[in-house]
Amino acid sequence: MCSKIVISLCLLVAVTAAIPATGFGDYQGPPAPGANPWIPSWISQAPWMPQWTPCTGIGSTCLDCNTKQICTKIGGLKRPCNDPTLPYCNLGECSATPTAECAPADAPIEAVPA
């Protein structure tokens, strides 16, 4: 009986964490668009909680030089490239090779033979 209650509570937490945000009552100010009504804002804004963003397609894309966005059917997750050996986002994946736009200014640019 006790295990059924624990499993039910875990399922409840998992389902409420997956509910798309709607922006209900945050008493500290106007509700932010995309705030989940079932999770208090001090928990949903925590750095370990996944921050879902809207996407148009499925797959990985680069948002900037060091951040990739992984898009799924239910939304997208922003993931920084934290690994020191793979600091750049290149073609939707963390990579050791920067793109042309993200190459450091002092690094020599290699010419591609024709």
Side-chain angles (χ1 to χ4, degrees):
M1 179 68 179
C2 192
S3 63
K4 290 181 182 179
I5 293 172
V6 170
I7 291 173
S8 298
L9 287 175
C10 289
L11 182 63
L12 178 68
V13 168
V15 168
T16 56
I19 292 176
T22 57
F24 279 115
D26 184 7
Y27 66 91
Q28 298 173 354
N36 192 315
W38 303 103
I39 301 175
S41 62
W42 60 273
I43 292 176
S44 65
Q45 301 300 324
W48 60 84
M49 290 294 288
Q51 301 297 320
W52 292 95
T53 57
C55 304
T56 55
I58 295 176
S60 294
T61 57
C62 292
L63 295 177
D64 58 23
C65 293
N66 304 98
T67 309
K68 68 178 181 176
Q69 182 173 10
I70 304 166
C71 294
T72 64
K73 292 179 183 178
I74 60 171
L77 288 171
K78 293 180 185 177
R79 293 286 183 223
C81 294
N82 289 335
D83 187 358
T85 61
L86 305 170
Y88 303 106
C89 185
N90 192 351
L91 299 173
E93 296 296 326
C94 293
S95 171
T97 312
T99 60
E101 299 87 28
C102 298
D106 58 349
I109 299 175
E110 296 179 18
V112 177

